[in-house]
Amino acid sequence: MSGTPFGSGPERRARALAGAGLGLAVLAELSSAGLLGLSGWFVSACAVAGAATFSSFSFIVPSGGVRALALARIAGNYSTRLTLHAAALRRVATARADLFRRAATSAQGSLDHVWSGDLLDRSMADADEAGTALIRSTAPAVVAAASAAMGVLAVALATSLVPAAVLVAGVAIVALMAYRTSGAAQVAEQHARMALRAETVTVTDAWAEMASLGAAGQLAARMTVRFSQLDAARDAVSRRRLRTALVAGLAGVATVAAAAIIGGIGADPATFVFVALMAVGVVAQAEQWAGAAEARSAAAAARRRLLGSAPPPHALDEASVPPMRSWAAERGIGFGGYRLPPALWRPGRVIGGRAIRGGVLVVTGRSGSGKSTLLRALATSLHQSLEADGDRPAVTAVAADDYLFTGTLGSNWRLADPALTDEYVDERLAALRLDRSGLTARTPVGPGGRELSGGELRRVYLGRALATRPHVLIVDEPVTGLDDDTARHVLGILANLPDTVVVIAAHEVPETLRSLDHVSTLPLD
């Protein structure tokens, strides 16, 4: 997933950071286990010594050990959180960067098979799931294994191999039960959740049409069945986990009792308490394998989806993106050598165009004439030939079917510029007259922007693109879904960007732009 060569500098640093975090996690857990066992032994030994008439028991060394282990646990836990979270964030960032790199390559390489916004949203969640597996799966499993090994070794050294063997057997039983339960518990619930998600998408898309046919009740009944199936799956999972927890708890109690009794035969009371507490700690840690196994399964599924559902990278070729020569100068941009596909109303022909900085180029034509294809080809060509200038990108394109991620308007706009404040977003929303609909930077957009109307979405897409302050802004159908007055206002904004070349696609030149000197036209009909 990383996109960096194996063994490269960033890859080695990321692996070293993860290794250091796991080492610190093991150190912190061993300190906790040692503190538990030593404290119990120390308290018991003090009680026995206090009951003796003339005891020469020295408390200085054990008490110092207790303090040292306590400090080591605190420092280890703090350092572990810092290091492991930093390593996990690097993995998430790498997974996200690789995801968007592949999405960009795919979108440029094929006009027929591109990433949808919904796929990107779900893939982002999968990238996060895969990246955080270090914290949720690897670290707990390693810590539990190290704790078990340390506890068994400590019991063996304090007593004999027999209680240590009992402890090993008990830990193996508890861990195996936890692991098997975690795997079986997820399958039915995951299938039910996937079926409900698919049904929800279908019902949402079909609701208006089915309601007009009087069949809304049938859709509601289908949704009710899916919810019932998910509830039943969750109940089954809960019952299975409860039964397993009870059996594992009994096995743990039996293990602790057997190890303590066998280890305490012929030993002093302090050793008996030490063995009992170490056994409790080891058995309790073994249950962490359940959560680690579930997290590992979820991360593995996320990685499979990331690798399996994503379109493969393409090389740009003549069949996927029509060839185009584009160039830029101080005064604007130009392109040529673009071959229009032949249509019923026209033969294929080679075209070109120019647009001045601060001007607007309007690409006109009927539906199916190739306006959107030309704009995509222009954006691809300019991306390859131009370079960003400081914080300003060379090209920003707003497609007719752009996308909003789940979250707020502010969080979506900050994808264009992370430094944008809510106050700035509110000002730009007001400039686009979206404040009249009550929209602010803190307004949630819903999955895929479903909380907003079509006209609101177009202006939100446009505002997010304007926030990047690009040298070239390409907009497909900028006023779709807008009333006449709002459309004139939006076109006025696009026509007054002195440092930006604006290229838009429309069926015809809007009335607002016809009388402006810096507006040129490229008809495709």
Side-chain angles (χ1 to χ4, degrees):
M1 290 295 302
S2 67
T4 56
F6 180 79
S8 64
E11 180 74 13
R12 287 196 300 269
R13 287 192 293 271
R15 290 177 178 272
L17 190 62
L22 292 176
L24 288 170
V26 170
L27 177 62
E29 188 56 41
L30 294 183
S31 298
S32 298
L35 179 63
L36 178 67
L38 182 58
S39 298
W41 177 88
F42 184 43
V43 171
S44 301
C46 288
V48 172
T53 305
F54 297 103
S55 175
S56 60
F57 175 74
S58 174
F59 64 89
I60 297 177
V61 174
S63 63
V66 169
R67 293 184 178 92
L69 289 173
L71 291 175
R73 182 184 65 171
I74 295 172
N77 284 331
Y78 179 74
S79 302
T80 297
R81 290 188 180 93
L82 290 180
T83 310
L84 280 182
H85 280 79
L89 285 175
R90 288 196 178 193
R91 293 191 175 195
V92 170
T94 301
R96 288 184 174 184
D98 183 71
L99 171 66
F100 279 104
R101 187 183 304 110
R102 297 172 67 208
T105 304
S106 173
Q108 293 176 4
S110 172
L111 298 178
D112 299 323
H113 191 31
V114 297
W115 286 67
S116 67
D118 183 57
L119 176 59
L120 279 175
D121 203 9
R122 287 184 283 114
S123 298
M124 283 280 284
D126 286 338
D128 293 349
E129 184 76 45
T132 55
L134 176 66
I135 294 176
R136 301 175 60 244
S137 174
T138 306
V142 170
V143 166
S147 177
M150 182 267 187
V152 170
L153 179 62
V155 169
L157 293 176
T159 55
S160 65
L161 293 178
V162 178
V166 172
L167 193 54
V168 169
V171 167
I173 293 173
V174 173
L176 180 61
M177 294 179 62
Y179 182 82
R180 293 188 61 183
T181 302
S182 66
Q186 284 190 335
V187 176
E189 185 178 351
Q190 284 179 351
H191 283 300
R193 187 180 293 109
M194 291 171 60
L196 175 60
R197 185 184 300 117
E199 191 75 20
T200 302
V201 173
T202 303
V203 168
T204 301
D205 292 339
W207 184 266
E209 182 178 358
M210 297 298 288
S212 67
L213 298 175
Q218 299 179 26
L219 294 182
R222 289 171 62 95
M223 288 297 297
T224 301
V225 170
R226 294 299 185 188
F227 275 111
S228 299
Q229 291 174 345
L230 179 59
D231 288 339
R234 286 176 172 172
D235 289 341
V237 168
S238 298
R239 289 193 298 270
R240 184 182 181 90
R241 285 177 174 169
L242 179 60
R243 289 196 301 268
T244 304
L246 290 175
V247 175
L250 292 175
V253 170
T255 300
V256 171
I261 292 173
I262 296 174
I265 295 177
D268 56 88
T271 302
F272 174 82
V273 172
F274 171 78
V275 173
L277 291 177
M278 290 300 296
V280 169
V282 169
V283 172
Q285 280 295 323
E287 295 181 357
Q288 286 196 26
W289 275 310
E294 289 189 6
R296 179 179 177 275
S297 176
R303 293 190 187 97
R304 286 194 298 270
R305 287 193 296 268
L306 284 172
L307 295 175
S309 63
H314 303 272
L316 296 178
D317 54 33
E318 187 175 351
S320 59
V321 176
M324 173 184 287
R325 293 182 294 103
S326 64
W327 60 90
E330 180 65 25
R331 300 186 61 184
I333 64 166
F335 66 93
Y338 180 78
R339 181 176 296 278
L340 286 172
L344 292 176
W345 61 87
R346 58 133 201 267
R349 70 180 193 271
V350 177
I351 64 170
R354 295 176 182 273
I356 63 172
R357 189 173 68 169
V360 180
L361 174 63
V362 184
V363 180
T364 62
R366 68 184 73 182
S367 297
S369 60
K371 301 187 300 297
S372 298
T373 303
L374 186 149
L375 261 59
R376 259 198 312 269
L378 179 60
T380 299
S381 180
L382 290 174
H383 269 300
Q384 294 172 341
S385 59
L386 302 182
E387 294 184 358
D389 178 17
D391 294 333
R392 297 184 65 188
V395 184
T396 298
V398 181
D401 56 348
D402 216 329
Y403 189 78
L404 290 183
F405 290 96
T406 303
T408 64
L409 285 175
S411 64
N412 272 274
W413 279 33
R414 276 185 277 273
L415 293 174
D417 183 357
L420 295 181
T421 63
D422 284 352
E423 290 73 16
Y424 176 85
V425 175
D426 289 340
E427 291 177 3
R428 304 314 302 165
L429 291 173
L432 292 165
R433 296 185 177 177
L434 286 166
D435 60 327
R436 300 181 181 181
S437 302
L439 301 185
T440 69
R442 293 159 292 282
T443 300
V445 301
R450 292 177 181 170
E451 296 294 328
L452 307 181
S453 68
E456 291 170 345
L457 282 173
R458 292 304 298 158
R459 283 177 284 169
V460 169
Y461 299 150
L462 183 59
R464 181 173 61 183
L466 289 171
T468 66
R469 300 178 296 111
H471 289 285
V472 182
L473 176 62
I474 299 176
V475 188
D476 194 357
E477 302 288 355
V479 295
T480 300
L482 303 182
D483 60 79
D484 293 341
D485 183 56
T486 305
R488 286 192 294 270
H489 178 74
V490 169
L491 291 172
I493 293 175
L494 293 177
N496 289 279
L497 299 174
D499 293 328
T500 300
V501 178
V502 179
V503 182
I504 67 175
H507 294 293
E508 59 183 13
V509 180
E511 184 70 30
T512 305
L513 303 179
R514 289 180 183 176
S515 60
L516 301 179
D517 295 334
H518 59 288
V519 175
S520 56
T521 306
L522 176 61
L524 300 187
D525 292 333

